[in-house]
Amino acid sequence: MGKLITRKSKTSDFRSDIGEIVDVITFAKEFLHRFPGDKQKDTLVAINGDTPGVWSTKYHEAALEVGMKGGKNWILEIDAAFTLYFINCLNNPHEYFSRITKRLVPYTIDKTFDLVNVSVVDENQARRAFFDSVKRAIKLTIDPKTGDNWFERYTGLDLREEFGDLKKKEIEFPVSIRGAGGIRVMSFNSEGNAPEGLHMLKFYADELSRADTKAKYLGAVKLYDLGLNNTAISFPNNVGKVLGWAYPNDTDF
C-alpha cells in the first residue's frame, strides 16, 4: 500500500470516502499497474513530489529529453492521470489551491483547473500523441479496493466517447454545484494564442524539437512562453507546472 499522509497535509483536505491518499509512484503501480524505471520515477517525483496528499511546489518547469519511442507519453499519461486523481480527492480544490499558491484573494468557485496539451507539429499530433492516450489512462485507472474504474466510481465521469464526458478535444469532469469551475483536459493546435484565457494548472508541450525552421522556432517559443506565463499567473508559487518534452534534434533550431 502507499505511504500514509504526513503532518504536512491536513487529512480534512481530502474526501473521507476515498480512503488512503497515495503518492504518484504508488498510484502508477496500484491504480494503473505500471512500473516505472528509475529515471522514470525520478521524473514523476520531480514533478509531483513523493509525499502523499501534498502538491509539490519544488519546480515550475520540467524539460524532458528522450529518444524516439522512449516512453515519454507513457510517463506523461501517468502524470496527467495522477493529477486528475489528486484534484478529485480534495474536498474543496478551490480552498486547497488558494492556500498553497499563497493567494491574498482566494479562488472563486467558478475558476477552472485546466490541463492543456499542445504540440509544435499540429493539432492532430497534439490529440493523437497525448490527448487520446490520456483518455486511455483515465479508462485504465482502477480502484484497487473495488476493481471499478476510479474516476467513474468517485467522480461520476461518463467514460463513453461519443455520448459521455470524453469528447474529441476536451474532457470536462462533472461538478456538483451549478456554475462551479471543474477540471478540464484540453488539446490545442500549435498556434501561440490557442490556449489563451484558460486557467492552466498544467501545460504539456509536445515535440518542441520538431520546430526545425526559424519561423516554427519563433512560434514554438511564443507557445511555450504562453504556458509558462499562464501557469505562473494562474497558479503561482510553483503550483502550476509546465512540462515540455521532445527527442533530440540536430537542426539549428
Side-chain angles (χ1 to χ4, degrees):
M1 294 298 290
K3 304 174 187 176
L4 293 175
I5 298 174
T6 71
R7 287 182 295 175
K8 292 181 180 180
S9 176
K10 297 193 303 182
T11 304
S12 59
D13 284 333
F14 297 95
R15 294 166 47 182
S16 59
D17 60 323
I18 295 297
E20 180 186 342
I21 309 301
V22 301
D23 63 284
V24 66
I25 304 302
T26 303
F27 175 85
K29 293 177 179 179
E30 295 189 2
F31 288 69
L32 284 172
H33 298 289
R34 297 183 179 187
F35 300 90
D38 290 341
K39 289 185 178 180
Q40 294 170 326
K41 288 178 183 177
D42 290 345
T43 299
L44 290 167
V45 170
I47 298 166
N48 298 287
D50 59 0
T51 305
V54 176
W55 183 273
S56 175
T57 57
K58 186 174 183 179
Y59 299 115
H60 172 216
E61 177 185 8
L64 311 178
E65 180 185 296
V66 63
M68 291 185 71
K69 305 301 180 184
K72 56 183 172 34
N73 286 345
W74 192 81
I75 284 297
L76 272 299
E77 290 165 21
I78 296 173
D79 179 80
F82 177 75
T83 301
L84 297 171
Y85 157 82
F86 186 97
I87 303 171
N88 277 299
C89 283
L90 291 165
N91 276 316
N92 188 336
H94 293 84
E95 189 279 330
Y96 178 86
F97 282 100
S98 294
R99 186 171 75 244
I100 66 171
T101 53
K102 302 180 181 179
R103 286 175 58 92
L104 295 176
V105 180
Y107 294 115
T108 53
I109 193 69
D110 60 298
K111 290 293 186 291
T112 56
F113 301 90
D114 295 327
L115 279 65
V116 174
N117 157 234
V118 299
S119 172
V120 169
V121 181
D122 57 31
E123 184 176 358
N124 288 332
Q125 170 72 12
R127 189 183 71 248
R128 183 175 60 252
F130 181 77
F131 187 75
D132 287 350
S133 58
V134 169
K135 290 197 288 189
R136 285 195 296 272
I138 288 173
K139 291 180 177 181
L140 291 171
T141 301
I142 302 300
D143 179 11
K145 300 191 301 293
T146 65
D148 298 333
N149 179 275
W150 192 91
F151 294 106
E152 196 171 37
R153 181 178 182 88
Y154 293 107
T155 75
L157 189 70
D158 189 333
L159 297 179
R160 295 175 298 169
E161 293 267 352
E162 281 189 59
F163 306 104
D165 298 314
L166 305 185
K167 305 301 183 185
K168 187 175 182 180
K169 293 171 58 178
E170 180 174 337
I171 302 168
E172 189 163 357
F173 279 73
V175 292
S176 57
I177 302 173
R178 187 174 182 178
I183 308 164
R184 303 185 301 185
V185 184
M186 299 178 173
S187 181
F188 285 97
N189 59 30
S190 57
E191 296 299 322
N193 61 353
E196 285 181 357
L198 299 178
H199 199 239
M200 287 190 258
L201 179 63
K202 282 195 172 179
F203 180 82
Y204 299 95
D206 187 16
E207 302 288 14
L208 298 179
S209 67
R210 299 280 287 275
D212 54 1
T213 67
K214 186 173 182 179
K216 289 181 180 179
Y217 168 76
L218 293 175
V221 169
K222 183 179 179 182
L223 186 65
Y224 196 67
D225 284 347
L226 173 66
L228 288 170
N229 293 332
N230 189 301
T231 50
I233 293 170
S234 296
F235 293 94
N237 192 34
N238 287 349
V239 172
K241 309 289 183 186
V242 171
L243 310 178
W245 70 98
Y247 57 81
N249 190 309
D250 62 359
T251 69
D252 291 340
F253 304 98

